[in-house]
Amino acid sequence: MRHSRRSVLTATAMGAVTLGATATPARAASAGPGSRPPATAQPPGRELRALLREIDRDRIEATVRRLVSFGTRHTLSAQDDPPPAASGRAGAVRGIGAARDWIAAELRGYAALSEGRMTVELQSYVQEPASGIPTPTRITNIVATLRGSVTPERVYVVSGHYDSRVTDLMDATSDAPGADDDASGVAVAMELARVLARRRPASTLVFAAVAGEEQGLYGAAHMAQLYRAAGVDVQGMFTNDIVGSSTADDGTRDPYTIRLFAEGVPTSETPAQAATRRSVGGENDSPSRQLARFVRDVGDNDATGMRVRVVYRRDRYRRGGDHIPFLERAYPAARFTEPAEDFAHQHQDVRVDENGRQFGDLPEFCDFPFVARVAKVNAAALWTLSQAPGTPRDARIITTVLTNSTRLVWTRGTEPDLAGYEVVWRETTAPEWTHVIPAGDVTAYEVDLSKDNVFFGVRAVSRTGARSPVAFPSPQA
């Protein structure tokens, strides 16, 4: 099929083809004067709105406070303290082992209501001595997997890390509440598992609480490597790390913004891929950037009450999160983090200084309605990803001959409810996709615009109108 240059240029003069995208209070508040929402925005439907209403800020707060109650969740802390037989108690009460067992029990309770669709496993291994790990240490991820009902082979992951720390990275005995970093992220993942356990997502959703993050991203690396070795098709991964507070170190508050960090140049980029990127561009079009744009499309609206601020970098300065091991293994991944951090309440010994200022990562410094809204953004992204077709595969721009038009090709997906595809494009200087062209149920499409002047992408559309993340095409000679 071919889209004429006249109609494309007419659309340019009139503005973007929005195809149902509508401005919302949250989106309008985040936009600058005279700006408009991205052409690719997907307003939440009735089913998604109902799902989001089930997210419970009181449950999230209870989860954070329960995790804090274990005293410390340091990766090197007790795995079983004290042994149940010696104490007469039903289980351990302090240390990372106690937190592990409680999280697993909660997730198994949710799984019991899923009619067999959700399973929970302790994904465990012994980490030999390495940076941050002085002796062989058992690291255990708690992983709840909700199997998809239509395309179970396609997987999306959401995580938080349940280990905690104080000022000294190797201090495994002092109280390390870890309310914001990262009981808040674990609470988000667990609340999504609770709400979604009774539903039937088309694709598989994974809710994980991982360990060893503070010592060096060990648990997430183990998880990502298991997926890569098994050939699991992880099409999106989100880590929620430090999502508990809307208050900055100067006391200012931004309770309706969440940052989403997304890398440009892929961490896993090969020399050949780097050469192509330098030749044709694409520094702003990695799979993770497309995933982040998708989150804005579906999660920045009145149903979540949040503005998604996409940050064009892999993570903050001198910091790293559990999305990085997934990026290293060529999985699209991004990190949610609160809008402005207060460093007095993370990675700090619990204390009051000579001026009466309280230090330590304590639950009283969390904003639980804010965490609930962050959970809604995650839920909107995960649910829409699971219900929409997968990201188009093998998207290419044909460069066999030099022309002033652009021919795109891709491989048709196998989803039973696949309706067709859309071609998106934008000026090379634009951060968002600005134009959408319905292509139909085809695997090739020609646009009468020069590939040298704009960036193109392709996304899939279901019969219900759910749209996939955009695939950025590579040149094919």
Side-chain angles (χ1 to χ4, degrees):
M1 297 182 67
R2 183 182 178 92
H3 200 80
S4 74
R5 184 177 303 171
R6 180 180 297 278
S7 60
V8 169
L9 294 179
T10 300
T12 304
M14 296 177 62
V17 180
T18 58
L19 295 180
T22 58
T24 65
R27 179 64 58 82
S30 69
S35 63
R36 51 174 171 66
T40 50
Q42 300 189 56
R46 180 181 303 174
E47 182 180 39
L48 178 55
R49 288 180 181 274
L51 185 159
L52 298 182
R53 285 194 293 270
E54 293 183 28
I55 291 173
D56 189 336
R57 60 85 63 207
D58 292 334
R59 285 180 176 272
I60 288 172
E61 178 176 359
T63 296
V64 170
R65 292 188 181 278
R66 187 69 177 95
L67 290 170
V68 169
S69 76
F70 295 112
T72 180
R73 305 186 307 277
H74 194 282
T75 297
L76 306 179
S77 66
Q79 302 265 346
D80 189 5
D81 178 26
S87 67
R89 289 188 288 265
V93 295
R94 181 179 176 87
I96 194 166
R100 172 202 64 214
D101 294 345
W102 179 79
I103 294 168
E106 289 294 297
L107 291 175
R108 287 179 181 130
Y110 306 154
L113 304 175
S114 71
E115 299 180 346
R117 294 186 301 278
M118 179 181 283
T119 57
V120 179
E121 65 170 318
L122 297 182
Q123 196 181 78
S124 187
Y125 80 106
V126 174
Q127 175 60 51
E128 296 300 325
S131 176
I133 306 288
T135 60
T137 301
R138 182 164 296 280
I139 293 177
T140 303
N141 304 323
I142 308 103
V143 181
T145 301
L146 180 60
R147 182 174 174 81
S149 59
V150 181
T151 50
E153 69 282 356
R154 180 152 49 95
V155 175
Y156 300 96
V157 179
V158 62
S159 79
H161 70 85
Y162 70 102
D163 59 308
S164 62
R165 62 166 288 184
V166 289
T167 305
D168 180 358
L169 175 63
M170 305 306 291
D171 181 352
T173 58
S174 296
D175 280 351
D180 191 2
D181 185 16
D182 184 38
S184 65
V186 174
V188 166
M190 291 180 66
E191 180 65 0
L192 296 186
R194 183 189 72 84
V195 170
L196 291 169
R198 299 191 188 206
R199 287 180 163 80
R200 296 179 178 273
S203 299
T204 296
L205 301 179
V206 175
F207 312 91
V210 303
E213 193 273 348
E214 301 289 7
Q215 308 306 115
L217 312 181
Y218 288 106
H222 180 66
M223 183 181 185
Q225 183 56 36
L226 288 178
Y227 283 147
R228 179 50 70 198
V232 176
D233 183 20
V234 178
Q235 292 199 12
M237 183 273 180
F238 304 104
T239 186
N240 287 265
D241 195 351
I242 311 179
V243 295
S245 175
S246 59
T247 305
D249 52 4
D250 63 357
T252 58
R253 297 185 67 243
D254 188 358
Y256 301 103
T257 298
I258 184 67
R259 288 184 292 176
L260 182 59
F261 287 85
E263 70 175 13
V265 176
T267 296
S268 62
E269 185 178 69
T270 66
Q273 290 168 337
T276 299
R277 174 180 51 78
R278 288 192 295 267
S279 172
V280 302
E283 294 83 358
N284 196 18
D285 283 285
S286 67
S288 295
R289 288 276 165 89
Q290 308 301 350
L291 186 65
R293 290 185 178 109
F294 178 91
V295 174
R296 273 205 64 195
D297 285 346
V298 302
D300 188 330
N301 52 53
D302 66 320
T304 66
M306 291 292 275
R307 172 197 177 205
V308 179
R309 180 179 182 179
V310 178
V311 182
Y312 284 168
R313 51 170 48 106
R314 188 171 74 171
D315 212 317
R316 297 103 71 232
Y317 282 99
R318 299 178 58 191
R319 310 294 285 275
D322 287 323
H323 60 309
I324 293 176
F326 283 80
L327 294 172
E328 290 171 340
R329 291 159 179 82
Y331 288 131
R335 173 190 178 133
F336 287 106
T337 297
E338 62 200 30
E341 299 166 76
D342 186 343
F343 301 104
H345 303 306
Q346 54 178 266
H347 295 192
Q348 292 283 345
D349 293 336
V350 179
R351 67 192 190 279
V352 178
D353 70 6
E354 62 276 10
N355 298 315
R357 185 182 185 190
Q358 177 71 62
F359 285 77
D361 191 355
L362 298 162
E364 52 260 42
F365 297 107
C366 288
D367 176 350
F368 295 109
F370 170 79
V371 185
R373 287 192 293 274
V374 173
K376 289 183 178 183
V377 171
N378 277 261
L382 280 178
W383 184 252
T384 309
L385 284 166
S386 75
Q387 301 303 90
T391 305
R393 296 189 182 277
D394 306 317
R396 297 285 187 269
I397 286 182
I398 302 301
T399 59
T400 307
V401 295
L402 297 179
T403 69
N404 283 318
S405 63
T406 302
R407 184 169 178 79
L408 300 158
V409 299
W410 56 89
T411 299
R412 192 183 190 280
T414 59
E415 296 87 354
D417 65 339
L418 179 64
Y421 294 87
E422 294 172 344
V423 172
V424 299
W425 64 274
R426 70 182 198 272
E427 295 289 338
T428 61
T429 54
E432 305 276 358
W433 299 110
T434 54
H435 295 75
V436 182
I437 303 169
D441 191 0
V442 297
T443 57
Y445 200 82
E446 187 167 342
V447 183
D448 204 3
L449 280 177
S450 173
K451 53 189 164 291
D452 297 323
N453 295 343
V454 300
F455 284 138
F456 287 96
V458 180
R459 67 176 183 176
V461 185
S462 74
R463 291 172 187 159
T464 61
R467 289 159 167 85
S468 75
V470 170
F472 187 70
S474 299
Q476 175 178 305

